[in-house]
Amino acid sequence: MDCVFLLTAHWTTGRGNELTAPSYGLLDRTVYGRQEFWEGWPQRWVPKVASSGWTTA
Amino acid sequence: MVEVDPQTPLIGADGSVPLIDIFDGRSQLIAYFHMWHTGRPAAEQCEGCTFNTSHINELSYLHSRDVSYATFYQGPYEESSRYRDFMGYTVPCYSVPQDSVDRLIADRYFGILACYLRDGDQVYETYWTSGRGNEAMAPSYGLLDRTVYGRQEFWEDSPEGWPRRWGSKGGQFRLDDGRPMAQWSRIQAGRNDDLGTMPDGWTACSCSLHTGPPAAATN
């Protein structure tokens, strides 16, 4: 009888999951970035979206 | 950051549209400049641009950040919109008329990803990238990078015996007879890949892709 071993080669979560979703990688190329609260903004740039998700703040 | 003429015309479904209108009222625009082999069949269109563009469908998250998105095709609108329909692309699609190429492309080339900013009635280009930089559009390679065998391209420093059958000059995005990879599922689903007759005022592409060996053979 053959023995089969299943190995997890890699796992990720949170921001690591952005690999599946190009929107954030594209926003990172735009001048205002992701527009989340935590980003180091110049004075006149106003972030619009909460850092906890996609719900409009 | 480079100022761009906001009135630069592009061609959409209803004819000529100035660049600033493609922002659709938003403050930013991301555009992918899709290479085109005018007068050539779908099977001979750009495998890399097809790889990049076929991954882009859901724009809600970009729109939430006040960012619009569009594909700007190098070729005539009649052909490129048929290609869009064949591939089932859902994002806005425009053709860059030949008089507008220099204003948008400058000394670069099609196959670039560019970001624009609108300030009132002025437009600025704030960023551009190309080649592997375009992978920001397309999750497949980033996902492969997390797998144990990686991209499986020849150049990778993999242990002996690991799969490495793919090139890096375009062949990695084509299958079998050289058709861009994402076209196969459309063909199998019975979609029509006829791009119609080349419209007046355009010249058929005579680049080396159509005179040399297929890209799949050269990897």
Side-chain angles (χ1 to χ4, degrees):
Chain A
M1 181 177 140
D2 293 333
C3 292
V4 177
F5 295 92
L6 297 178
L7 302 175
T8 301
H10 172 85
W11 76 277
T12 187
T13 185
R15 301 257 178 192
N17 294 340
E18 288 174 17
L19 285 171
T20 63
S23 290
Y24 258 22
L26 287 171
L27 285 172
D28 287 340
R29 270 74 181 174
T30 67
V31 69
Y32 296 141
R34 300 173 180 217
Q35 306 177 36
E36 295 185 350
F37 293 137
W38 57 268
E39 292 175 81
W41 293 87
Q43 193 70 28
R44 64 183 284 261
W45 290 4
V46 181
K48 296 177 180 173
V49 181
S51 62
S52 57
W54 287 103
T55 310
T56 302
Chain B
M1 196 159 84
V2 178
E3 191 164 0
V4 180
D5 180 357
Q7 298 305 319
T8 303
L10 293 112
I11 307 298
D14 298 321
S16 185
V17 183
L19 174 65
I20 195 164
D21 284 5
I22 296 170
F23 282 73
D24 199 21
R26 298 188 177 91
S27 61
Q28 295 192 78
L29 169 69
I30 298 175
Y32 181 71
F33 288 79
H34 194 298
M35 297 168 75
W36 194 256
H37 303 289
T38 301
R40 308 301 303 189
E44 295 182 19
Q45 296 304 326
C46 178
E47 67 282 348
C49 294
T50 300
F51 170 78
N52 293 330
T53 305
S54 62
H55 285 79
I56 295 287
N57 286 304
E58 181 53 68
L59 300 183
S60 304
Y61 303 103
L62 295 178
H63 291 171
S64 77
R65 271 37 175 207
D66 208 30
V67 178
S68 288
Y69 184 95
T71 308
F72 289 173
Y73 286 88
Q74 184 177 15
Y77 183 81
E78 294 86 340
E79 291 184 4
S80 31
S81 60
R82 280 173 176 256
Y83 191 68
R84 171 202 62 195
D85 294 342
F86 162 57
M87 295 301 294
Y89 297 155
T90 57
V91 304
C93 149
Y94 297 89
S95 164
V96 182
Q98 291 170 25
D99 290 346
S100 297
V101 170
D102 281 348
R103 284 193 256 180
L104 296 174
I105 295 289
D107 292 324
R108 296 166 296 182
Y109 38 81
F110 279 81
I112 63 174
L113 178 70
C115 299
Y116 298 94
L117 173 68
R118 182 175 66 86
D119 185 12
D121 57 4
Q122 291 181 298
V123 171
Y124 302 89
E125 183 186 314
T126 59
Y127 176 87
W128 75 280
T129 188
S130 182
R132 303 252 180 195
N134 294 338
E135 289 175 17
M137 303 167 64
S140 289
Y141 260 22
L143 288 169
L144 286 171
D145 288 340
R146 267 68 182 178
T147 66
V148 68
Y149 297 140
R151 300 174 179 217
Q152 305 177 36
E153 295 184 352
F154 293 135
W155 57 269
E156 289 174 84
D157 185 19
S158 301
E160 190 69 28
W162 284 24
R164 273 187 299 175
R165 62 168 285 209
W166 300 98
S168 54
K169 297 177 182 171
Q172 75 273 32
F173 301 133
R174 293 182 178 267
L175 263 186
D176 300 333
D177 73 348
R179 196 181 268 275
M181 209 174 281
Q183 292 186 8
W184 282 110
S185 60
R186 278 76 173 176
I187 292 293
Q188 286 158 6
R191 289 201 196 161
N192 183 359
D193 72 342
D194 183 4
L195 303 182
T197 306
M198 185 175 68
D200 292 341
W202 291 81
T203 304
C205 178
S206 58
C207 77
S208 60
L209 178 68
H210 314 297
T211 54
T218 56
N219 294 301

